[in-house]
Amino acid sequence: MAVLLLGEVTNGELNGDATGKAVAALKSLGDVTVLCAGASAKAAAGDAAKIDGVAKVLVAEDARYGHRLAEPTAALMVALAGDYDHIAAPATTDAKNVMPRVAALLDVMVIPDVSAVIDADTFERPVYAGNAIQTVKSKDARKVLTVRTTSFDAAGEGGGAPVEDATLADDPGLSSWIADEVAESDRPELTSAGRVVSGGRGIGSKENFEIVEKLADKLGAAVGASRAAVDSGYAPNDWQVGQTGKVVAPELYVAVGISGAIQHLAGMKDSKVIVAINKDEEAPIFQIADYGLVGDLFTLVPELTEKL
Amino acid sequence: MKVLVPVKRVIDYNVKAKVKSDGSGVDLANVKMSMNPFDEIAVEEAIRLKEKGAAEEVIVVSVGVKQAAETIRTALAMGADRGILVVAADDVHQDIEPLAVAKILKAVIDQEQPGLVITGKQAIDNDMNATGQMLAALLGWGQATFASKLDIDGDAAKVTREVDGGLQTISVKMPAIVTADLRLNEPRYASLPNIMKAKKKPLDEKTAADFGVDVSPRLEIVSVKEPEGRSAGIKVGSVDELVSKLKEAGVV
Ligand SMILES: Cc1cc2nc3c(=O)[nH]c(=O)nc-3n(C[C@H](O)[C@H](O)[C@H](O)COP(=O)(O)OP(=O)(O)OC[C@H]3O[C@@H](n4cnc5c(N)ncnc54)[C@H](O)[C@@H]3O)c2cc1C
Ligand SMILES: Nc1ncnc2c1ncn2[C@@H]1O[C@H](COP(=O)(O)O)[C@@H](O)[C@H]1O
């Protein structure tokens, strides 16, 4: 049994956390080969080779893989698929873009957001915004899946796996990149942060979001947001936590001015300790919070930031 | 240009799904069902393209149980022109997998020849986020997923996509598949006169067999369980108490 894992490579850099957790999730299924594709991918491949449990790394360094477009990457994975029983990736937006395309080209179903590996054919995955956990057994000869990384431990540092060049596949030439709008931040990355402070509609404005950011910076935390906060323009889209945003499971999650809709809970209810600050004592977020503080966030959050 | 929008009938987003006691799935009997929220956004975008003169006709397609006709009527009431219902299941608990849905949609598209297909990004029941991408693969078309902005630019679509790092803008040759994210638009409500008018709009009924598509699942659902519960903790009376609790818990 062998696994082909698409490493998460962005602008030449490996996301070691997401890729490593996916390796940890899948290494019981067989030798894991990590594929690093990008306009620049050699450095990422070098980093992937150091992940504990990686048997081999394939590099596809070429401009056609430069902007994580689905069509060329899917074509590459399909060309390589013959040698593998499992074709996988961490469940990032890039992978969610590419992997269903790979699966359909191979005429198999995709198994998204795997949260537990039972055996080579059987997997658990959350459905209905995490209100149910399905166990599914695949009848397909080849399994294409994405891994919900928050459900798995990080992989350690291992030895140096051999790195080889992959044979490139033709670019179908169906789409082209125009621009990226990426906010640079010194804060930890949301999905792997040990602490997260999120703000909701209760924050009231983009300017007021500073209250949340100050608390986050005091805690060395990443900043998240509810959909309502993003829709209202208080926070950028990549901060959204939830069923259709990012899934986080930090040691500490602080929800400020967030009511606790099921779609939001889907993205954070596996956090270890949850704190909720909300002026409405009936807010559903208190039903899952370990520590609830009822009151006005505009006085409580600055006081908390001060006293930590 | 025709625009085709696949719409799915799903549990209403306000309803909390309950796992059946026999562990076979989620209980959908007597539960409020609605159009998948992302599909409302997709329908809205298609209608706006028509209103701008970029599209001539908006066709909605739903695959599933007979009751999905109601979902199509909702889209027609919003302003879509005609609907195609593909009956592929007779029990409301039988979900058709994205691969089979994509195969059926491909057959419909081969007949209808739309210039653009807008799907939702994700169905909120099975949380697959797969059908649009699979359909693009089967058709050999380009794809622009998780769209928060769509502009038709000659024979290409310029799409801004919501991705983990922020936003990415790409150009995709048409015909293409676009999948709608939450911030693409705010869908309109259907007015009463439009709901009445929708009753007279054409709605074709087909079956999966008409297209020769085998809808038997590739993923056997072995069991469905509730997630580990999380119980409410305590309310603290002050910031000082919160700080000391967090220190006790070792998280600050
Ligand atoms: C298809 C779909 C997908 C979705 N996906 C997501 C998702 O991924 N993530 C997500 O978060 N949501 C998602 N949602 C939206 C979700 O249903 C809720 O609408 C959203 O989470 C609400 O955000 P909120 O809690 O910030 O706002 P609200 O529900 O408006 O809550 C604001 C809270 O702030 C409190 N408040 C106000 N002022 C103060 C104050 N001064 N001090 C203290 N507290 C105050 C209020 O008491 C209230 O509880 C989705 C919805 C749909 C339909
Ligand atoms: N049974 C279906 N009938 C029509 N459209 C569907 C169906 N299933 C999925 N879709 C479309 O594909 C999108 C993504 O669904 P999914 O891949 O199941 O998450 C939905 O938002 C719909 O636009």
Side-chain angles (χ1 to χ4, degrees):
Chain A
M1 294 277 210
V3 180
L4 177 66
L5 178 75
L6 178 64
E8 179 74 7
V9 179
T10 312
N11 297 332
E13 250 180 68
L14 183 78
N15 178 334
D17 180 76
T19 308
K21 283 174 177 164
V23 172
L26 300 169
K27 64 182 180 192
S28 68
L29 297 175
D31 280 351
V32 178
T33 296
V34 177
L35 169 65
C36 290
S40 130
K42 292 215 168 82
D47 288 342
K50 290 184 212 136
I51 297 173
D52 187 25
V54 172
K56 191 166 99 180
V57 177
L58 289 174
V59 203
E61 189 173 83
D62 189 85
R64 78 191 79 166
Y65 305 118
H67 295 285
R68 300 142 16 240
L69 298 172
E71 302 88 0
T73 307
L76 173 66
M77 295 193 78
V78 169
L80 297 171
D83 297 336
Y84 304 93
D85 309 284
H86 293 83
I87 299 163
T92 59
T93 48
D94 282 350
K96 288 178 177 205
N97 189 27
V98 172
M99 299 304 276
R101 188 171 179 107
V102 171
L105 291 171
L106 296 170
D107 192 26
V108 302
M109 255 304 282
V110 63
I111 313 168
D113 284 307
V114 166
S115 56
V117 176
I118 311 295
D119 61 37
D121 307 311
T122 317
F123 307 90
E124 283 185 10
R125 60 179 301 263
V127 288
Y128 289 90
N131 286 308
I133 311 290
Q134 248 181 14
T135 302
V136 294
K137 189 171 167 97
S138 169
K139 295 180 200 156
D140 286 319
R142 204 164 266 136
K143 279 75 179 163
V144 175
L145 57 103
T146 63
V147 175
R148 177 167 281 215
T149 52
T150 50
S151 304
F152 299 93
D153 292 332
E157 285 258 317
V163 179
E164 289 171 21
D165 284 324
T167 309
L168 307 188
D170 284 341
D171 179 359
L174 295 164
S175 60
S176 56
W177 173 82
I178 298 177
D180 282 331
E181 219 178 284
V182 180
E184 291 299 328
S185 160
D186 296 333
R187 297 197 181 97
E189 198 265 320
L190 186 53
T191 54
S192 56
R195 295 169 182 166
V196 174
V197 182
S198 289
R201 197 197 311 268
I203 308 297
S205 73
K206 190 174 175 181
E207 294 68 44
N208 289 347
F209 228 81
E210 216 174 81
I211 298 175
V212 173
E213 297 182 48
K214 279 194 177 140
L215 175 57
D217 290 341
K218 189 71 177 268
L219 285 165
V223 185
S226 71
R227 174 193 172 182
V230 178
D231 285 4
S232 310
Y234 307 166
N237 67 283
D238 51 305
W239 289 5
Q240 183 178 312
V241 170
Q243 179 185 18
T244 57
K246 286 182 179 157
V247 177
V248 302
E251 292 288 304
L252 174 66
Y253 187 89
V254 185
V256 181
I258 292 179
S259 62
I262 45 178
Q263 293 85 3
H264 187 79
L265 303 188
M268 45 65 78
K269 70 181 161 59
D270 292 332
S271 305
K272 197 153 161 260
V273 172
I274 297 174
V275 173
I277 301 177
N278 196 303
K279 68 177 180 191
D280 173 11
E281 63 177 322
E282 303 290 324
I285 190 84
F286 289 125
Q287 288 164 22
I288 62 144
D290 299 285
Y291 306 109
L293 187 54
V294 180
D296 183 15
L297 71 91
F298 295 105
T299 52
L300 294 173
V301 176
E303 187 187 340
L304 178 60
T305 307
E306 174 79 39
K307 288 182 171 161
L308 277 168
Chain B
M1 172 177 84
K2 291 184 193 174
V3 180
L4 188 133
V5 183
V7 295
K8 188 177 187 189
R9 177 182 187 267
V10 298
I11 190 167
D12 186 85
Y13 81 94
N14 274 312
V15 179
K16 185 167 186 259
K18 290 220 168 54
V19 175
K20 287 198 273 186
S21 53
D22 67 358
S24 65
V26 160
D27 194 357
L28 295 175
N30 306 315
V31 169
K32 183 174 181 215
M33 304 294 280
S34 299
M35 191 190 313
N36 183 42
F38 288 97
D39 304 354
E40 290 182 5
I41 298 170
V43 171
E44 174 68 33
E45 195 67 16
I47 296 168
R48 288 187 191 185
L49 287 174
K50 191 181 164 191
E51 288 169 347
K52 276 195 282 196
E56 277 95 54
E57 192 185 24
V58 177
I59 307 162
V60 291
V61 185
S62 193
V63 179
V65 288
K66 264 192 151 39
Q67 293 90 318
E70 293 161 23
T71 314
I72 293 178
R73 288 285 174 212
T74 306
L76 297 176
M78 286 172 72
D81 297 295
R82 85 186 143 89
I84 301 169
L85 169 66
V86 183
V87 178
D90 35 45
D91 178 351
V92 293
H93 293 96
Q94 193 185 340
D95 193 40
I96 311 296
E97 288 175 348
L99 181 61
V101 172
K103 287 181 178 179
I104 290 170
L105 292 174
K106 176 181 185 297
V108 173
I109 287 163
D110 287 343
Q111 288 177 358
E112 297 286 348
Q113 302 281 318
L116 182 67
V117 175
I118 312 178
T119 74
K121 137 169 148 174
Q122 171 174 342
I124 60 160
D125 51 1
N126 62 24
D127 283 332
M128 284 279 177
N129 191 338
T131 305
Q133 298 89 314
M134 293 190 126
L135 179 58
L138 299 180
L139 289 161
W141 291 6
Q143 65 187 57
T145 51
F146 327 145
S148 63
K149 193 167 188 302
L150 164 66
D151 289 305
I152 306 295
D153 182 9
D155 57 1
K158 188 178 160 194
V159 178
T160 300
R161 310 177 50 237
E162 293 205 359
V163 294
D164 284 342
L167 297 168
Q168 180 191 51
T169 303
I170 64 168
S171 170
V172 60
K173 280 186 193 155
M174 294 208 291
I177 306 286
V178 171
T179 81
D181 214 322
L182 293 171
R183 283 166 282 275
L184 183 57
N185 60 51
E186 243 181 80
R188 70 193 67 189
Y189 291 102
S191 66
L192 196 58
N194 285 343
I195 293 173
M196 300 311 291
K197 260 195 255 168
K199 293 191 176 148
K200 296 200 196 80
K201 289 187 179 175
L203 200 173
D204 260 7
E205 197 179 307
K206 299 269 192 330
T207 65
D210 291 341
F211 299 108
V213 175
D214 176 7
V215 298
S216 47
R218 303 291 186 85
L219 303 179
E220 178 202 341
I221 298 172
V222 181
S223 63
V224 179
K225 64 181 180 196
E226 273 186 34
E228 270 170 49
R230 193 173 181 121
S231 42
I234 55 161
K235 292 249 171 70
V236 290
S238 67
V239 169
D240 289 319
E241 194 185 342
L242 177 60
V243 172
S244 72
K245 290 288 181 198
L246 292 178
K247 283 191 175 143
E248 262 170 51
V251 289
V252 297

